[in-house]
Amino acid sequence: MVRATVVSSWEFQSESGDLSGFYPENFKQKFRSQHGLRWSSGTQPTVVQHRDKIQTMRDAQVVQLDAGGQGSESLVSGNNPLPNLEKKYKSKGFGYAGADLYAGGYLTGQAMVESGKLKAGDKALVWDIFHQEGRSKSSQGCFDALEKTLGKGNVEKLDVTQDIDTDPTKGIPVMTAYLAAHPDLKAIGTQHGQITAILPKILKDAGKKPGDVVVGGIDLGPDVIAGIKAGYVVASFDQVLYLQGWDPVQQIWLTKMYLIPGLHQDTGVGEVTPANVDTIAPLIEKGFR
């Protein structure tokens, strides 16, 4: 029996360190039945033990493998790429499951143009984290894709400050003021999941009807899905978070059983739009997307 413990850097921001609800129960059951793994949630002591290895992994999952008390381990990142560590430990199974940050942002910008029917000369804003070098790759990708169609000078950047990143509701007056100062705004792009979730309400409260200002964002939480169905969100980047949970765990099994090096798996290849949301939403509700 191989015992796999999944811990997350998100635990650095929580007191309990409990990940019992992090992955869907059906994911755990399926993986157990197919690969004979016993599942247990991560604990804070495990995170502390590996703090030197994962301190930069704000949005990553780390998988520790303890095989029969041998103490061998495999670390796998998910959601945020760690290229230096991946290169150093690839032979030991350190892989990546998640999106290419720049490509994901660019894809979102392209989807906004297509689904939102944007054209040259339209005004747009990318409201995202630009002050963090690695994280800003996705923001820049969205910006570049919009600028390619709308033209230089027609897309602005608005940085999501640290306090807004921590508590997105603090951004409501910021965006409300921006909308009032830019009545010709046609689109808002972001690669911040919580910002995506609150934008439909901000627009509605500002008197904007669906389609007046189209939104392109990321992730597929209930508020985002509702925003897509209502017509406020025209595209949301689909990272396939289910695979970001599945692939790292499967990676440690492949490394343990067959010495397969870390695999770099791009899960960010799609967008959810008004055209496909009704098909995908039931799968999201079941925990598969």
mmCIF file of all heavy atoms in Angstrom, residues 158-203:
data_model
loop_
_atom_site.group_PDB
_atom_site.id
_atom_site.type_symbol
_atom_site.label_atom_id
_atom_site.label_comp_id
_atom_site.label_asym_id
_atom_site.label_seq_id
_atom_site.Cartn_x
_atom_site.Cartn_y
_atom_site.Cartn_z
ATOM 1 N N LEU A 158 -4.816 48.024 -14.537
ATOM 2 C CA LEU A 158 -5.118 48.461 -13.173
ATOM 3 C C LEU A 158 -4.667 47.350 -12.239
ATOM 4 O O LEU A 158 -5.193 46.238 -12.287
ATOM 5 C CB LEU A 158 -6.612 48.739 -13.002
ATOM 6 C CG LEU A 158 -7.057 49.215 -11.612
ATOM 7 C CD1 LEU A 158 -6.378 50.533 -11.248
ATOM 8 C CD2 LEU A 158 -8.578 49.366 -11.557
ATOM 9 N N ASP A 159 -3.685 47.646 -11.417
ATOM 10 C CA ASP A 159 -3.106 46.630 -10.551
ATOM 11 C C ASP A 159 -4.047 46.272 -9.399
ATOM 12 O O ASP A 159 -4.657 47.151 -8.787
ATOM 13 C CB ASP A 159 -1.777 47.129 -9.991
ATOM 14 C CG ASP A 159 -1.016 46.044 -9.244
ATOM 15 O OD1 ASP A 159 -1.002 44.903 -9.733
ATOM 16 O OD2 ASP A 159 -0.445 46.346 -8.179
ATOM 17 N N VAL A 160 -4.150 44.992 -9.139
ATOM 18 C CA VAL A 160 -4.848 44.517 -7.948
ATOM 19 C C VAL A 160 -3.848 44.572 -6.800
ATOM 20 O O VAL A 160 -2.900 43.785 -6.752
ATOM 21 C CB VAL A 160 -5.374 43.076 -8.139
ATOM 22 C CG1 VAL A 160 -5.911 42.521 -6.822
ATOM 23 C CG2 VAL A 160 -6.475 43.051 -9.197
ATOM 24 N N THR A 161 -4.038 45.507 -5.892
ATOM 25 C CA THR A 161 -3.112 45.675 -4.784
ATOM 26 C C THR A 161 -3.217 44.506 -3.811
ATOM 27 O O THR A 161 -4.169 43.715 -3.860
ATOM 28 C CB THR A 161 -3.406 46.986 -4.049
ATOM 29 O OG1 THR A 161 -4.769 46.969 -3.597
ATOM 30 C CG2 THR A 161 -3.204 48.180 -4.973
ATOM 31 N N GLN A 162 -2.255 44.426 -2.905
ATOM 32 C CA GLN A 162 -2.209 43.298 -1.984
ATOM 33 C C GLN A 162 -3.457 43.214 -1.117
ATOM 34 O O GLN A 162 -3.971 42.129 -0.844
ATOM 35 C CB GLN A 162 -0.963 43.402 -1.097
ATOM 36 C CG GLN A 162 -0.742 42.184 -0.206
ATOM 37 C CD GLN A 162 -0.576 40.899 -1.001
ATOM 38 O OE1 GLN A 162 0.198 40.842 -1.950
ATOM 39 N NE2 GLN A 162 -1.316 39.860 -0.627
ATOM 40 N N ASP A 163 -3.963 44.372 -0.666
ATOM 41 C CA ASP A 163 -5.142 44.333 0.192
ATOM 42 C C ASP A 163 -6.382 43.874 -0.567
ATOM 43 O O ASP A 163 -7.226 43.161 -0.028
ATOM 44 C CB ASP A 163 -5.383 45.695 0.861
ATOM 45 C CG ASP A 163 -5.610 46.805 -0.142
ATOM 46 O OD1 ASP A 163 -5.064 46.720 -1.260
ATOM 47 O OD2 ASP A 163 -6.328 47.775 0.180
ATOM 48 N N ILE A 164 -6.477 44.242 -1.842
ATOM 49 C CA ILE A 164 -7.605 43.782 -2.657
ATOM 50 C C ILE A 164 -7.445 42.310 -3.005
ATOM 51 O O ILE A 164 -8.423 41.557 -3.045
ATOM 52 C CB ILE A 164 -7.743 44.632 -3.930
ATOM 53 C CG1 ILE A 164 -8.118 46.080 -3.562
ATOM 54 C CG2 ILE A 164 -8.793 44.046 -4.873
ATOM 55 C CD1 ILE A 164 -8.182 47.008 -4.755
ATOM 56 N N ASP A 165 -6.212 41.880 -3.235
ATOM 57 C CA ASP A 165 -5.946 40.464 -3.500
ATOM 58 C C ASP A 165 -6.398 39.618 -2.313
ATOM 59 O O ASP A 165 -6.981 38.545 -2.474
ATOM 60 C CB ASP A 165 -4.455 40.272 -3.765
ATOM 61 C CG ASP A 165 -4.102 38.830 -4.111
ATOM 62 O OD1 ASP A 165 -4.960 38.124 -4.669
ATOM 63 O OD2 ASP A 165 -2.970 38.414 -3.825
ATOM 64 N N THR A 166 -6.141 40.117 -1.103
ATOM 65 C CA THR A 166 -6.524 39.404 0.110
ATOM 66 C C THR A 166 -8.019 39.451 0.349
ATOM 67 O O THR A 166 -8.645 38.461 0.740
ATOM 68 C CB THR A 166 -5.793 40.004 1.326
ATOM 69 O OG1 THR A 166 -4.378 39.945 1.098
ATOM 70 C CG2 THR A 166 -6.137 39.243 2.598
ATOM 71 N N ASP A 167 -8.628 40.611 0.095
ATOM 72 C CA ASP A 167 -10.065 40.795 0.298
ATOM 73 C C ASP A 167 -10.630 41.548 -0.902
ATOM 74 O O ASP A 167 -10.662 42.780 -0.921
ATOM 75 C CB ASP A 167 -10.328 41.577 1.584
ATOM 76 C CG ASP A 167 -11.823 41.788 1.840
ATOM 77 O OD1 ASP A 167 -12.646 41.232 1.072
ATOM 78 O OD2 ASP A 167 -12.168 42.523 2.794
ATOM 79 N N PRO A 168 -11.065 40.813 -1.943
ATOM 80 C CA PRO A 168 -11.523 41.450 -3.180
ATOM 81 C C PRO A 168 -12.673 42.442 -2.998
ATOM 82 O O PRO A 168 -12.851 43.330 -3.843
ATOM 83 C CB PRO A 168 -11.963 40.261 -4.041
ATOM 84 C CG PRO A 168 -11.138 39.126 -3.542
ATOM 85 C CD PRO A 168 -11.031 39.347 -2.059
ATOM 86 N N THR A 169 -13.446 42.315 -1.920
ATOM 87 C CA THR A 169 -14.542 43.275 -1.718
ATOM 88 C C THR A 169 -14.009 44.691 -1.549
ATOM 89 O O THR A 169 -14.741 45.661 -1.800
ATOM 90 C CB THR A 169 -15.388 42.891 -0.494
ATOM 91 O OG1 THR A 169 -14.576 42.896 0.688
ATOM 92 C CG2 THR A 169 -16.007 41.514 -0.678
ATOM 93 N N LYS A 170 -12.744 44.821 -1.143
ATOM 94 C CA LYS A 170 -12.153 46.151 -1.032
ATOM 95 C C LYS A 170 -11.939 46.796 -2.395
ATOM 96 O O LYS A 170 -11.695 48.002 -2.488
ATOM 97 C CB LYS A 170 -10.817 46.076 -0.279
ATOM 98 C CG LYS A 170 -10.957 45.682 1.185
ATOM 99 C CD LYS A 170 -9.613 45.674 1.887
ATOM 100 C CE LYS A 170 -9.772 45.327 3.367
ATOM 101 N NZ LYS A 170 -8.458 45.291 4.071
ATOM 102 N N GLY A 171 -12.032 45.996 -3.439
ATOM 103 C CA GLY A 171 -11.890 46.527 -4.788
ATOM 104 C C GLY A 171 -13.175 47.070 -5.372
ATOM 105 O O GLY A 171 -13.157 47.707 -6.435
ATOM 106 N N ILE A 172 -14.305 46.838 -4.699
ATOM 107 C CA ILE A 172 -15.596 47.293 -5.237
ATOM 108 C C ILE A 172 -15.621 48.797 -5.449
ATOM 109 O O ILE A 172 -15.977 49.271 -6.544
ATOM 110 C CB ILE A 172 -16.750 46.822 -4.335
ATOM 111 C CG1 ILE A 172 -16.855 45.287 -4.380
ATOM 112 C CG2 ILE A 172 -18.069 47.468 -4.761
ATOM 113 C CD1 ILE A 172 -17.895 44.706 -3.434
ATOM 114 N N PRO A 173 -15.256 49.636 -4.450
ATOM 115 C CA PRO A 173 -15.271 51.085 -4.697
ATOM 116 C C PRO A 173 -14.250 51.514 -5.741
ATOM 117 O O PRO A 173 -14.472 52.500 -6.460
ATOM 118 C CB PRO A 173 -14.946 51.682 -3.324
ATOM 119 C CG PRO A 173 -14.310 50.582 -2.543
ATOM 120 C CD PRO A 173 -14.921 49.326 -3.041
ATOM 121 N N VAL A 174 -13.138 50.773 -5.847
ATOM 122 C CA VAL A 174 -12.125 51.096 -6.852
ATOM 123 C C VAL A 174 -12.697 50.926 -8.252
ATOM 124 O O VAL A 174 -12.577 51.814 -9.114
ATOM 125 C CB VAL A 174 -10.877 50.212 -6.669
ATOM 126 C CG1 VAL A 174 -9.877 50.447 -7.801
ATOM 127 C CG2 VAL A 174 -10.224 50.474 -5.319
ATOM 128 N N MET A 175 -13.343 49.788 -8.502
ATOM 129 C CA MET A 175 -13.898 49.531 -9.829
ATOM 130 C C MET A 175 -15.121 50.401 -10.097
ATOM 131 O O MET A 175 -15.339 50.852 -11.233
ATOM 132 C CB MET A 175 -14.245 48.048 -9.969
ATOM 133 C CG MET A 175 -14.804 47.666 -11.341
ATOM 134 S SD MET A 175 -13.829 48.254 -12.755
ATOM 135 C CE MET A 175 -12.243 47.501 -12.431
ATOM 136 N N THR A 176 -15.918 50.650 -9.076
ATOM 137 C CA THR A 176 -17.083 51.522 -9.248
ATOM 138 C C THR A 176 -16.641 52.910 -9.696
ATOM 139 O O THR A 176 -17.247 53.514 -10.605
ATOM 140 C CB THR A 176 -17.881 51.618 -7.939
ATOM 141 O OG1 THR A 176 -18.308 50.299 -7.551
ATOM 142 C CG2 THR A 176 -19.100 52.508 -8.109
ATOM 143 N N ALA A 177 -15.580 53.414 -9.087
ATOM 144 C CA ALA A 177 -15.051 54.728 -9.466
ATOM 145 C C ALA A 177 -14.460 54.701 -10.874
ATOM 146 O O ALA A 177 -14.623 55.665 -11.639
ATOM 147 C CB ALA A 177 -13.986 55.163 -8.461
ATOM 148 N N TYR A 178 -13.796 53.598 -11.224
ATOM 149 C CA TYR A 178 -13.213 53.496 -12.564
ATOM 150 C C TYR A 178 -14.313 53.499 -13.633
ATOM 151 O O TYR A 178 -14.176 54.162 -14.669
ATOM 152 C CB TYR A 178 -12.363 52.232 -12.678
ATOM 153 C CG TYR A 178 -11.568 52.172 -13.964
ATOM 154 C CD1 TYR A 178 -10.255 52.632 -13.997
ATOM 155 C CD2 TYR A 178 -12.121 51.666 -15.139
ATOM 156 C CE1 TYR A 178 -9.512 52.592 -15.172
ATOM 157 C CE2 TYR A 178 -11.394 51.633 -16.317
ATOM 158 C CZ TYR A 178 -10.092 52.091 -16.331
ATOM 159 O OH TYR A 178 -9.377 52.067 -17.505
ATOM 160 N N LEU A 179 -15.370 52.768 -13.378
ATOM 161 C CA LEU A 179 -16.473 52.726 -14.338
ATOM 162 C C LEU A 179 -17.086 54.110 -14.528
ATOM 163 O O LEU A 179 -17.420 54.510 -15.661
ATOM 164 C CB LEU A 179 -17.538 51.742 -13.859
ATOM 165 C CG LEU A 179 -17.166 50.256 -13.910
ATOM 166 C CD1 LEU A 179 -18.189 49.425 -13.144
ATOM 167 C CD2 LEU A 179 -17.072 49.776 -15.352
ATOM 168 N N ALA A 180 -17.239 54.835 -13.442
ATOM 169 C CA ALA A 180 -17.823 56.174 -13.525
ATOM 170 C C ALA A 180 -16.923 57.118 -14.315
ATOM 171 O O ALA A 180 -17.408 57.998 -15.042
ATOM 172 C CB ALA A 180 -18.054 56.726 -12.122
ATOM 173 N N ALA A 181 -15.608 56.926 -14.192
ATOM 174 C CA ALA A 181 -14.650 57.806 -14.873
ATOM 175 C C ALA A 181 -14.398 57.396 -16.321
ATOM 176 O O ALA A 181 -13.802 58.169 -17.086
ATOM 177 C CB ALA A 181 -13.329 57.818 -14.104
ATOM 178 N N HIS A 182 -14.836 56.193 -16.695
ATOM 179 C CA HIS A 182 -14.608 55.684 -18.055
ATOM 180 C C HIS A 182 -15.916 55.137 -18.632
ATOM 181 O O HIS A 182 -16.099 53.930 -18.785
ATOM 182 C CB HIS A 182 -13.532 54.590 -18.042
ATOM 183 C CG HIS A 182 -12.210 55.051 -17.550
ATOM 184 N ND1 HIS A 182 -11.922 55.176 -16.203
ATOM 185 C CD2 HIS A 182 -11.078 55.430 -18.222
ATOM 186 C CE1 HIS A 182 -10.672 55.604 -16.065
ATOM 187 N NE2 HIS A 182 -10.147 55.774 -17.255
ATOM 188 N N PRO A 183 -16.839 56.010 -18.966
ATOM 189 C CA PRO A 183 -18.156 55.563 -19.470
ATOM 190 C C PRO A 183 -18.094 54.844 -20.810
ATOM 191 O O PRO A 183 -19.057 54.163 -21.188
ATOM 192 C CB PRO A 183 -18.946 56.871 -19.584
ATOM 193 C CG PRO A 183 -17.903 57.934 -19.730
ATOM 194 C CD PRO A 183 -16.749 57.469 -18.899
ATOM 195 N N ASP A 184 -16.961 54.971 -21.519
ATOM 196 C CA ASP A 184 -16.826 54.301 -22.819
ATOM 197 C C ASP A 184 -16.174 52.928 -22.712
ATOM 198 O O ASP A 184 -15.899 52.283 -23.730
ATOM 199 C CB ASP A 184 -16.025 55.175 -23.778
ATOM 200 C CG ASP A 184 -14.627 55.507 -23.256
ATOM 201 O OD1 ASP A 184 -14.393 55.314 -22.038
ATOM 202 O OD2 ASP A 184 -13.792 55.973 -24.045
ATOM 203 N N LEU A 185 -15.960 52.451 -21.489
ATOM 204 C CA LEU A 185 -15.327 51.144 -21.295
ATOM 205 C C LEU A 185 -16.209 50.033 -21.853
ATOM 206 O O LEU A 185 -17.408 49.983 -21.584
ATOM 207 C CB LEU A 185 -15.075 50.902 -19.804
ATOM 208 C CG LEU A 185 -14.260 49.653 -19.447
ATOM 209 C CD1 LEU A 185 -12.809 49.809 -19.893
ATOM 210 C CD2 LEU A 185 -14.335 49.364 -17.945
ATOM 211 N N LYS A 186 -15.588 49.124 -22.617
ATOM 212 C CA LYS A 186 -16.327 48.030 -23.242
ATOM 213 C C LYS A 186 -15.991 46.653 -22.675
ATOM 214 O O LYS A 186 -16.762 45.707 -22.859
ATOM 215 C CB LYS A 186 -16.061 48.013 -24.757
ATOM 216 C CG LYS A 186 -16.578 49.226 -25.500
ATOM 217 C CD LYS A 186 -18.095 49.301 -25.440
ATOM 218 C CE LYS A 186 -18.622 50.460 -26.275
ATOM 219 N NZ LYS A 186 -20.108 50.580 -26.182
ATOM 220 N N ALA A 187 -14.856 46.536 -21.987
ATOM 221 C CA ALA A 187 -14.452 45.196 -21.535
ATOM 222 C C ALA A 187 -13.518 45.283 -20.337
ATOM 223 O O ALA A 187 -12.722 46.219 -20.214
ATOM 224 C CB ALA A 187 -13.772 44.433 -22.669
ATOM 225 N N ILE A 188 -13.629 44.276 -19.461
ATOM 226 C CA ILE A 188 -12.723 44.116 -18.325
ATOM 227 C C ILE A 188 -12.193 42.685 -18.344
ATOM 228 O O ILE A 188 -12.967 41.730 -18.320
ATOM 229 C CB ILE A 188 -13.424 44.370 -16.976
ATOM 230 C CG1 ILE A 188 -14.038 45.768 -16.931
ATOM 231 C CG2 ILE A 188 -12.434 44.195 -15.822
ATOM 232 C CD1 ILE A 188 -14.905 46.005 -15.705
ATOM 233 N N GLY A 189 -10.881 42.567 -18.370
ATOM 234 C CA GLY A 189 -10.257 41.258 -18.323
ATOM 235 C C GLY A 189 -9.510 41.064 -17.012
ATOM 236 O O GLY A 189 -8.982 42.026 -16.447
ATOM 237 N N THR A 190 -9.469 39.845 -16.527
ATOM 238 C CA THR A 190 -8.721 39.524 -15.316
ATOM 239 C C THR A 190 -8.393 38.041 -15.309
ATOM 240 O O THR A 190 -9.074 37.237 -15.959
ATOM 241 C CB THR A 190 -9.511 39.889 -14.043
ATOM 242 O OG1 THR A 190 -8.686 39.681 -12.891
ATOM 243 C CG2 THR A 190 -10.763 39.027 -13.915
ATOM 244 N N GLN A 191 -7.330 37.693 -14.574
ATOM 245 C CA GLN A 191 -7.012 36.288 -14.341
ATOM 246 C C GLN A 191 -6.999 36.033 -12.844
ATOM 247 O O GLN A 191 -6.242 35.190 -12.343
ATOM 248 C CB GLN A 191 -5.681 35.925 -14.985
ATOM 249 C CG GLN A 191 -5.722 35.884 -16.505
ATOM 250 C CD GLN A 191 -6.537 34.725 -17.040
ATOM 251 O OE1 GLN A 191 -6.028 33.625 -17.254
ATOM 252 N NE2 GLN A 191 -7.818 34.945 -17.271
ATOM 253 N N HIS A 192 -7.849 36.752 -12.156
ATOM 254 C CA HIS A 192 -8.009 36.634 -10.707
ATOM 255 C C HIS A 192 -9.403 36.070 -10.464
ATOM 256 O O HIS A 192 -10.411 36.701 -10.786
ATOM 257 C CB HIS A 192 -7.855 38.006 -10.062
ATOM 258 C CG HIS A 192 -7.703 37.986 -8.563
ATOM 259 N ND1 HIS A 192 -8.696 37.540 -7.722
ATOM 260 C CD2 HIS A 192 -6.674 38.368 -7.766
ATOM 261 C CE1 HIS A 192 -8.288 37.650 -6.462
ATOM 262 N NE2 HIS A 192 -7.061 38.139 -6.462
ATOM 263 N N GLY A 193 -9.460 34.870 -9.895
ATOM 264 C CA GLY A 193 -10.745 34.189 -9.754
ATOM 265 C C GLY A 193 -11.755 34.944 -8.914
ATOM 266 O O GLY A 193 -12.936 35.030 -9.264
ATOM 267 N N GLN A 194 -11.315 35.502 -7.793
ATOM 268 C CA GLN A 194 -12.258 36.203 -6.914
ATOM 269 C C GLN A 194 -12.705 37.521 -7.512
ATOM 270 O O GLN A 194 -13.845 37.950 -7.295
ATOM 271 C CB GLN A 194 -11.611 36.411 -5.545
ATOM 272 C CG GLN A 194 -11.411 35.120 -4.765
ATOM 273 C CD GLN A 194 -10.655 35.349 -3.470
ATOM 274 O OE1 GLN A 194 -9.494 35.755 -3.467
ATOM 275 N NE2 GLN A 194 -11.320 35.105 -2.358
ATOM 276 N N ILE A 195 -11.823 38.171 -8.265
ATOM 277 C CA ILE A 195 -12.215 39.395 -8.966
ATOM 278 C C ILE A 195 -13.262 39.065 -10.025
ATOM 279 O O ILE A 195 -14.257 39.778 -10.180
ATOM 280 C CB ILE A 195 -10.990 40.070 -9.608
ATOM 281 C CG1 ILE A 195 -10.030 40.591 -8.538
ATOM 282 C CG2 ILE A 195 -11.418 41.188 -10.546
ATOM 283 C CD1 ILE A 195 -10.576 41.728 -7.699
ATOM 284 N N THR A 196 -13.023 37.970 -10.761
ATOM 285 C CA THR A 196 -14.002 37.536 -11.760
ATOM 286 C C THR A 196 -15.374 37.345 -11.120
ATOM 287 O O THR A 196 -16.394 37.752 -11.682
ATOM 288 C CB THR A 196 -13.566 36.214 -12.413
ATOM 289 O OG1 THR A 196 -12.241 36.337 -12.928
ATOM 290 C CG2 THR A 196 -14.512 35.830 -13.543
ATOM 291 N N ALA A 197 -15.388 36.744 -9.939
ATOM 292 C CA ALA A 197 -16.649 36.414 -9.276
ATOM 293 C C ALA A 197 -17.449 37.647 -8.866
ATOM 294 O O ALA A 197 -18.690 37.607 -8.868
ATOM 295 C CB ALA A 197 -16.380 35.545 -8.059
ATOM 296 N N ILE A 198 -16.767 38.747 -8.517
ATOM 297 C CA ILE A 198 -17.505 39.921 -8.031
ATOM 298 C C ILE A 198 -17.823 40.932 -9.124
ATOM 299 O O ILE A 198 -18.653 41.824 -8.920
ATOM 300 C CB ILE A 198 -16.751 40.638 -6.890
ATOM 301 C CG1 ILE A 198 -15.440 41.236 -7.387
ATOM 302 C CG2 ILE A 198 -16.518 39.682 -5.725
ATOM 303 C CD1 ILE A 198 -14.731 42.097 -6.353
ATOM 304 N N LEU A 199 -17.202 40.798 -10.284
ATOM 305 C CA LEU A 199 -17.415 41.794 -11.335
ATOM 306 C C LEU A 199 -18.860 41.882 -11.823
ATOM 307 O O LEU A 199 -19.358 42.992 -12.053
ATOM 308 C CB LEU A 199 -16.470 41.529 -12.512
ATOM 309 C CG LEU A 199 -15.079 42.148 -12.371
ATOM 310 C CD1 LEU A 199 -14.140 41.644 -13.468
ATOM 311 C CD2 LEU A 199 -15.168 43.670 -12.403
ATOM 312 N N PRO A 200 -19.581 40.764 -12.014
ATOM 313 C CA PRO A 200 -20.972 40.906 -12.456
ATOM 314 C C PRO A 200 -21.817 41.765 -11.516
ATOM 315 O O PRO A 200 -22.605 42.605 -11.975
ATOM 316 C CB PRO A 200 -21.475 39.461 -12.501
ATOM 317 C CG PRO A 200 -20.247 38.655 -12.782
ATOM 318 C CD PRO A 200 -19.162 39.342 -11.996
ATOM 319 N N LYS A 201 -21.658 41.585 -10.221
ATOM 320 C CA LYS A 201 -22.431 42.381 -9.263
ATOM 321 C C LYS A 201 -22.006 43.847 -9.303
ATOM 322 O O LYS A 201 -22.849 44.749 -9.213
ATOM 323 C CB LYS A 201 -22.265 41.837 -7.853
ATOM 324 C CG LYS A 201 -23.168 42.532 -6.825
ATOM 325 C CD LYS A 201 -23.037 41.921 -5.451
ATOM 326 C CE LYS A 201 -24.078 42.492 -4.484
ATOM 327 N NZ LYS A 201 -24.075 43.956 -4.402
ATOM 328 N N ILE A 202 -20.709 44.094 -9.427
ATOM 329 C CA ILE A 202 -20.231 45.470 -9.526
ATOM 330 C C ILE A 202 -20.858 46.161 -10.730
ATOM 331 O O ILE A 202 -21.334 47.304 -10.645
ATOM 332 C CB ILE A 202 -18.695 45.509 -9.626
ATOM 333 C CG1 ILE A 202 -18.055 45.030 -8.319
ATOM 334 C CG2 ILE A 202 -18.210 46.921 -9.956
ATOM 335 C CD1 ILE A 202 -16.539 44.931 -8.376
ATOM 336 N N LEU A 203 -20.858 45.476 -11.855
ATOM 337 C CA LEU A 203 -21.424 46.058 -13.071
ATOM 338 C C LEU A 203 -22.923 46.290 -12.938
ATOM 339 O O LEU A 203 -23.445 47.344 -13.327
ATOM 340 C CB LEU A 203 -21.130 45.147 -14.268
ATOM 341 C CG LEU A 203 -19.661 45.061 -14.688
ATOM 342 C CD1 LEU A 203 -19.469 43.961 -15.727
ATOM 343 C CD2 LEU A 203 -19.178 46.397 -15.237
#
